[in-house]
């Protein structure tokens, strides 16, 4: 830089030229154009550049040099109508979008549907709805399919031949299970304190638990 | 703040002296506190701040405060505290040190004041150098058209095995998904009691205690018994209203008795 | 550019490397960093750059190459604390009258307070007052906070746990400093003992200062 500066001083000192002062050397003019285009909020024309540069400067030539200098770089000097501006190289556009991965908890509907599929697979949508007591939205199933935690199983050999859902390898991976048989039964859930919220009155809950085990057995038998 | 040296000669140049004093006093708000005044005063000594005569400085400051008071201009408490402190320092510096006295010597206090003044001056110089640097937006510039980095949001859903198990437990116990309804397991409705009571009443020609009509399976558990008692009583009232039975009670809280109506013996 | 692209393809194709994909060649990484920094008005950290670059990229090395490339140009790559940014060369400021943003004039109190915070950080309000010999108005601190030139530092572990103030990266950026170590005259001031907190002999009422010395050491020690 100091060399360039010296050149500049020399350039300026040289008198007796047409202008009152000689224009700075081209390398210096190139620096000027570079800085102006970098800092400007809008593209600048040759005339606008020259209006801000020392007398006798040739912005058009400086632009040509600058354009060549930026060829193949991450930034390019581009012409916008009659004006000039720096723009990011088009092949690097992907850097201008930043992907943010946001981790979100699965919705309650989704996790419950998933749990029912895991415990009762293969299971039809109607069965899921019966167990949950509310209808299952298309979106919930789609989301689980998209996550690749469930997939379509064989069609049920009943009227209408409804599709069934089963969980996938990816599901087992995510939840750290070797097989769905590793899923704890209701008794274990209760023992683990997961069922302690308001047990059903009377013996009914017990009955239900008892019932769950064989049910599950059936479900998971290969 | 004026940078001109502040001198306060007695006598001769009285007008100039007064103007100098007034400049100080009138500008007292312009001063950034007593340390600032001291720093200004110390400049009249035209020596290294480390070697200023604190004694002389104290005298200048006290004279400044004195003049300010003579002009009936109120000085902020800070200035008076500094004046008192400097008077104390002056006395310490003038009197021979008393070895029995605790605390720092006059020299130590003077050195500290000199340090404070030097440090304040150093910070002012540093501030000036800082402000004199090339500055962003004035001497050098950032990109004029920053490109927006678009934030693509990708949502990753997670759930733990615990979430899964809890969800299943929730569904299976149905404690949160069923439309809300009162638990009816231990409640005998009046309709049920009526249905139980009606066939039995045919045999009750004599007064019998109402409690004997409770369905047997509702007698053990106290909760169930209470519900059944209430329902059966309500059913009995209903039957009485219809004219099917008569009810009586010997006294308050005595057992209620019931018999079929119309068949007197 | 086409050559570089070819290199890149080759680089990516090279299998059997530790990473899943090999990082692009350094020339390509340099272009990426160039594009990202050019596009941003705010300085970016190595981590922020790498988050947007292909796996295995070394933004720190790319920055070194890039910095050399822009030496003496109209635009320079500067370091601002832990971040990097392109800024126009200060000697070309005269061309930029169009871009000058009028800034509010700072009061003398604000300027001095800023300098004290910069040179003594982390510093408590009581310490600033002790140095200036006058109370610091709320407005002064607020103004500096608003400019984002100062921020709150850790609380001092002394009675009352007073908050401390430190300067920010925006401060460094504004004054063209790489770090607080580059503050003008810092070494001389420290050598002269003018950045020490020297309690009043006899130690009346200035206990609060005791904590200052280690704090400073932390900040400025290399």
């Amino acid at each position: 830089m100091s060399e360039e500066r010296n050149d500049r001083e020399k350039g300026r000192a040289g008198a007796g030229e047409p202008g009152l002062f000689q224009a700075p050397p081209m390398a210096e003019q190139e620096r000027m154009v570079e800085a102006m285009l970098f800092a400007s909020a809008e593209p600048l024309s040759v005339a606008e550049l020259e209006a801000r540069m020392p007398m006798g400067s040739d912005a058009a030539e400086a632009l040509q040099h600058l354009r060549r200098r930026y060829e193949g770089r991450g930034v390019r000097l581009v012409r916008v109508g009659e004006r000039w501006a720096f723009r990011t190289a088009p092949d690097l556009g992907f850097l201008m979008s930043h992907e943010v991965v946001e981790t979100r908890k699965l919705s309650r509907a989704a996790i419950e549907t998933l749990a029912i599929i895991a415990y009762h697979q293969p299971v039809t949508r109607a069965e899921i709805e019966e167990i949950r007591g509310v209808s299952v939205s298309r979106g919930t199933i789609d989301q689980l399919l998209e996550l690749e935690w469930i997939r379509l199983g064989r069609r049920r050999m009943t009227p209408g031949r409804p599709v069934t859902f089963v969980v996938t390898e990816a599901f087992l991976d995510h939840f750290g299970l070797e097989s769905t048989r590793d899923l704890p039964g209701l008794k274990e859930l209760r023992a683990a304190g997961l069922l302690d919220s308001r047990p059903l009155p009377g013996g009914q809950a017990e009955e239900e638990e008892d019932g769950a085990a064989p049910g599950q057995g059936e479900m998971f038998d290969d | 703040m004026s940078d001109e040296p502040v001198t306060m000669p007695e006598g001769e140049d009285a007008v100039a002296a007064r103007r100098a004093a007034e400049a100080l006093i009138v500008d007292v708000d312009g001063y950034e506190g007593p340390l600032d005044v001291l720093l200004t005063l110390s400049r009249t000594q035209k020596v290294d701040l480390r070697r200023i005569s604190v004694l002389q400085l104290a005298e200048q400051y006290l004279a400044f405060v004195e003049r300010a008071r003579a002009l009936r201009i109120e000085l902020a408490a800070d200035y008076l505290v500094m004046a008192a402190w400097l008077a104390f320092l002056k006395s310490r510096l003038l009197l021979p040190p008393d070895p029995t006295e605790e605390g720092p010597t006059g020299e130590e206090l003077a050195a500290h004041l000199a340090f404070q003044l030097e440090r304040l001056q150093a910070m002012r110089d540093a501030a000036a150098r800082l402000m004199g640097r090339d500055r962003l937006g004035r001497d050098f510039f950032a990109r004029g058209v920053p490109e927006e980095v678009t934030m693509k949001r990708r949502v990753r859903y997670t759930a733990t095995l615990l979430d899964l198990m809890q969800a299943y437990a929730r569904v299976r116990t149905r404690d949160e998904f069923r439309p809300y309804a009162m638990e009816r397991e231990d409640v005998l409705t009046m309709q049920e009691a009526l249905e139980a009571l009606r066939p039995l009443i045919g045999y009750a020609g004599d007064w019998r205690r109402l409690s004997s009509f409770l369905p047997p399976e509702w007698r053990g558990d106290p909760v169930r018994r209470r519900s059944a008692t209430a329902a059966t009583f309500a059913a009995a009232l209903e039957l009485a209203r219809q004219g099917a039975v008569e009810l009586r009670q010997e006294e308050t809280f005595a057992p209620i008795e019931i018999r079929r109506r119309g068949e007197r013996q």
Side-chain angles (χ1 to χ4, degrees), chain B:
Chain B
M1 175 181 118
S2 97
D3 273 342
E4 59 192 83
V6 179
T7 50
M8 286 175 239
E10 306 284 335
E12 307 290 313
D13 215 350
V15 179
R18 241 197 69 199
R19 278 176 59 194
E22 271 177 3
L24 264 180
I25 294 152
V26 169
D27 275 351
V28 94
D29 288 329
Y31 276 95
E32 299 269 342
L35 212 53
D36 192 19
V37 173
L38 276 170
L39 195 57
T40 308
L41 291 172
S42 73
R43 292 214 186 93
T44 65
Q45 298 186 17
K46 293 195 167 70
V47 286
D48 190 329
L49 272 172
R50 275 164 290 191
R51 266 173 258 133
I52 51 164
S53 160
V54 170
L55 186 56
Q56 208 183 326
L57 191 61
E59 276 166 353
Q60 284 183 61
Y61 184 86
L62 293 173
F64 158 73
V65 170
E66 204 50 46
R67 266 153 214 280
R69 284 178 57 196
L71 288 166
R72 293 173 180 278
I73 288 172
E74 286 186 40
L75 285 179
D78 289 349
Y79 288 81
L80 295 174
V81 168
M82 179 62 92
W85 188 80
L86 286 172
F88 165 73
L89 176 59
K90 186 177 154 186
S91 70
R92 282 254 167 142
L93 288 170
L94 289 175
L95 296 171
D98 178 355
T100 64
E101 201 163 352
E102 300 248 321
T105 65
E107 274 71 27
E108 284 170 336
L109 293 173
H112 186 70
L113 179 60
F115 167 73
Q116 282 182 294
L117 291 176
E118 196 190 355
R119 183 174 59 180
L120 179 57
Q121 186 58 53
M123 281 302 109
R124 291 211 170 143
D125 295 343
R129 287 173 76 179
L130 195 59
M131 299 315 277
R133 287 184 66 85
D134 288 329
R135 287 160 66 180
L136 179 66
R138 192 188 71 180
D139 307 293
F140 60 94
F141 295 84
R143 180 75 170 127
V145 268
E147 286 170 50
E148 280 298 307
V149 176
T150 56
M151 288 291 203
K152 265 194 288 182
R153 194 160 292 189
R154 193 159 64 91
V155 181
R156 218 184 74 212
Y157 287 96
T158 61
T160 64
L161 185 59
L162 187 66
D163 294 332
L164 191 76
M165 286 166 8
Q166 280 172 333
Y168 188 65
R170 209 160 51 215
V171 169
R172 293 309 310 220
T173 53
R174 298 187 177 204
D175 59 349
E176 284 171 86
F177 286 95
R178 198 167 24 182
Y180 182 77
M182 285 283 288
E183 293 298 346
R184 294 288 187 183
E185 312 301 329
D186 286 327
V187 175
L188 186 68
T189 63
M190 192 192 86
Q191 200 56 44
E192 288 165 336
L194 206 52
E195 280 159 23
L197 198 56
R198 215 190 286 274
L200 293 177
I201 208 73
Y203 305 101
D206 295 327
W207 289 106
R208 284 177 61 184
R209 290 193 175 180
L210 186 62
S211 55
S212 66
F213 290 95
L214 295 189
E217 66 273 24
W218 288 84
R219 291 182 190 181
D221 184 86
V223 174
R224 289 164 72 83
R225 187 183 173 84
R226 261 198 303 280
S227 173
T229 304
T232 306
F233 177 60
L237 289 177
E238 174 61 19
L239 290 175
R241 193 184 64 80
Q242 293 173 3
V245 300
E246 289 177 307
L247 295 172
R248 76 171 186 193
Q249 188 177 28
E250 303 266 301
E251 57 181 325
T252 316
F253 301 122
I256 294 167
E257 293 178 314
I258 185 171
R259 74 171 181 192
R260 194 179 65 232
R261 191 173 178 175
E263 282 184 42
R264 281 167 201 269
Q265 292 174 336

Side-chain angles (χ1 to χ4, degrees), chain A residues 102-137:
Chain A
E102 204 177 283
T103 306
R104 229 182 271 171
K105 278 246 173 221
L106 213 54
S107 74
R108 192 171 162 137
I111 187 82
E112 284 177 8
T113 303
L114 182 65
I116 292 166
I117 296 169
Y119 275 89
H120 295 266
Q121 67 172 349
V123 63
T124 67
R125 185 176 176 148
E127 286 159 359
I128 297 168
E129 291 183 343
E130 197 194 314
I131 295 168
R132 274 196 76 211
V134 291
S135 63
V136 175
S137 79

Side-chain angles (χ1 to χ4, degrees), chain A residues 119-121 208-221, chain B residues 168 172:
Chain A
Y119 275 89
H120 295 266
Q121 67 172 349
E208 207 176 320
E209 271 182 285
D210 293 342
Q216 242 173 59
E218 268 168 52
M219 289 296 182
F220 289 113
D221 269 352
Chain B
Y168 188 65
R172 293 309 310 220

